[in-house]
Amino acid sequence: MSILEVNHIKKVYKTRMGGEAVTALRDVHFSVEPGEFVAIMGESGSGKTTLLNILASLDTPTAGKVLVDGKDFTTLKDNERAIFRRSNLGFIFQDFNLLDNFSIEDNIKLPLVLAGEDYKKMDAKVEKAAGQLGIVGLLKKYPYEVSGGQKQRIAIAGVLAMKPDCIVLDEPTAMLDPVGRRDVMETIERLNKEEGITVILITHYMDEAVRGDKVYVIDDGDLVMKGTPREIFVQVEKLKEYGLDVPQVTEVTYLLRKEGIDLPADILTVEEMVGALCQFN
């Protein structure tokens, strides 16, 4: 069974004072399997934020359903929906959402407290989540004492302590420097590959989307492309039509091929580029 099913979601916003209705999503349909790493891409205004708000139950679809483990949580009451979402989908946002006057340990505990977890079991859950994220040595510190990349790992630890089946990350590296971005993405990829945690990543960084098993592209409210990273990023011209870039090495490959150099079209990494160029020696 799919861990998440987005079934023909449509979202229409009615403007104030009787203005024209705005369609943010049109018949968006996809599923996520247990253990998958799915990247969702689209330029600003494409509908990514609306989709995220519906997944987070902060908004409801005009039509269609969202099923989590086969259950339509959009039909639940507000309090039931919040509890169900917390247990099944963990959300991580770009601004960390940490409290500066709480220690790192207490920030990780906070979601457990809000969920009414047994206090006697919290320390073990915090210790395990901190171990998974490599931040055990930071537990007694405060958010203002750590780096941006560490803050994001702390935010992820708070979600992991709840043991959700799937984590949804909304531009988690947008506020980080290149070192922090790499650190966080390597952590996310390790959680997916080694811990088997299902990941849904909303990003505009192509080198992050390359790490996924599947890539979905949204444009003007429509799901316009879907496939593996290799299937998606080989379509350079089409992505540019949707206002998106491709990984830098794929762009270089595309330009070299236009000059008549016989390279595979689906190169995604520097290592693949080096291997392909070595054939000319």
Side-chain angles (χ1 to χ4, degrees):
M1 178 187 294
S2 299
I3 193 168
L4 174 70
E5 294 180 58
V6 177
N7 288 342
H8 304 289
I9 290 295
K10 180 179 181 180
K11 181 63 183 180
V12 179
Y13 291 104
K14 293 184 179 179
T15 56
R16 295 181 179 179
M17 307 300 291
E20 291 186 4
V22 176
T23 301
L25 294 173
R26 300 179 183 84
D27 196 30
V28 173
H29 182 75
F30 65 90
S31 63
V32 178
E33 304 305 315
E36 277 192 326
F37 187 146
V38 172
I40 299 175
M41 299 173 14
E43 64 176 347
S44 297
S46 63
K48 298 194 311 295
T49 300
T50 299
L51 176 61
L52 176 71
N53 288 341
I54 290 173
L55 295 182
S57 71
L58 300 175
D59 203 350
T60 55
T62 305
K65 295 180 180 180
V66 176
L67 304 179
V68 179
D69 281 342
K71 187 171 185 177
D72 182 2
F73 74 81
T74 60
T75 63
L76 300 176
K77 296 179 180 178
D78 289 345
N79 61 328
E80 295 173 331
R81 187 160 56 235
I83 294 170
F84 183 76
R85 183 194 64 200
R86 252 195 318 259
S87 301
N88 293 274
L89 297 176
F91 287 82
I92 296 120
F93 301 94
Q94 59 183 263
D95 54 359
F96 316 131
N97 290 325
L98 301 178
L99 300 177
D100 278 340
N101 57 335
F102 277 33
S103 68
I104 302 305
E105 181 178 14
D106 288 339
N107 268 284
I108 297 173
K109 280 183 179 178
L110 185 57
L112 297 169
V113 173
L114 295 175
E117 292 277 341
D118 186 344
Y119 281 95
K120 296 178 182 179
K121 299 179 180 179
M122 285 187 191
D123 287 341
K125 291 184 177 182
V126 170
E127 191 76 17
K128 180 178 180 180
Q132 288 175 298
L133 275 298
I135 56 171
V136 173
L138 303 178
L139 290 177
K140 300 305 179 183
K141 292 181 178 290
Y142 288 80
Y144 55 80
E145 299 180 288
V146 301
S147 69
Q150 289 171 327
K151 286 181 181 178
Q152 194 58 283
R153 281 192 285 159
I154 292 160
I156 295 171
V159 169
L160 282 187
M162 295 293 298
K163 293 186 175 180
D165 296 323
C166 174
I167 57 174
V168 183
L169 303 107
D170 179 29
E171 305 280 5
T173 66
M175 300 176 66
L176 304 179
D177 60 25
V179 174
R181 281 186 55 216
R182 185 184 67 243
D183 183 30
V184 168
M185 286 308 304
E186 287 177 352
T187 299
I188 293 168
E189 190 168 32
R190 179 175 56 78
L191 290 172
N192 174 251
K193 303 304 181 187
E194 297 179 11
E195 305 286 344
I197 295 172
T198 306
V199 171
I200 300 173
L201 173 70
I202 296 174
T203 183
H204 65 273
Y205 290 117
M206 303 302 112
D207 58 329
E208 294 180 358
V210 162
R211 298 171 184 257
D213 300 309
K214 291 180 183 175
V215 176
Y216 295 110
V217 177
I218 296 177
D219 181 70
D220 194 26
D222 290 312
L223 182 60
V224 292
M225 298 178 72
K226 57 182 177 180
T228 66
R230 212 168 289 279
E231 291 168 339
I232 294 297
F233 289 119
V234 73
Q235 303 179 64
V236 176
E237 293 291 346
K238 192 170 183 180
L239 286 166
K240 289 181 180 295
E241 288 178 11
Y242 296 133
L244 298 173
D245 294 319
V246 295
Q248 189 174 37
V249 68
T250 305
E251 176 79 12
V252 171
T253 301
Y254 170 73
L255 294 174
L256 290 174
R257 284 172 55 85
K258 286 185 71 173
E259 294 299 319
I261 299 176
D262 186 20
L263 291 172
D266 60 349
I267 290 176
L268 295 180
T269 67
V270 172
E271 291 77 15
E272 290 176 354
M273 170 67 83
V274 171
L277 290 175
C278 283
Q279 69 177 316
F280 297 108
N281 290 340

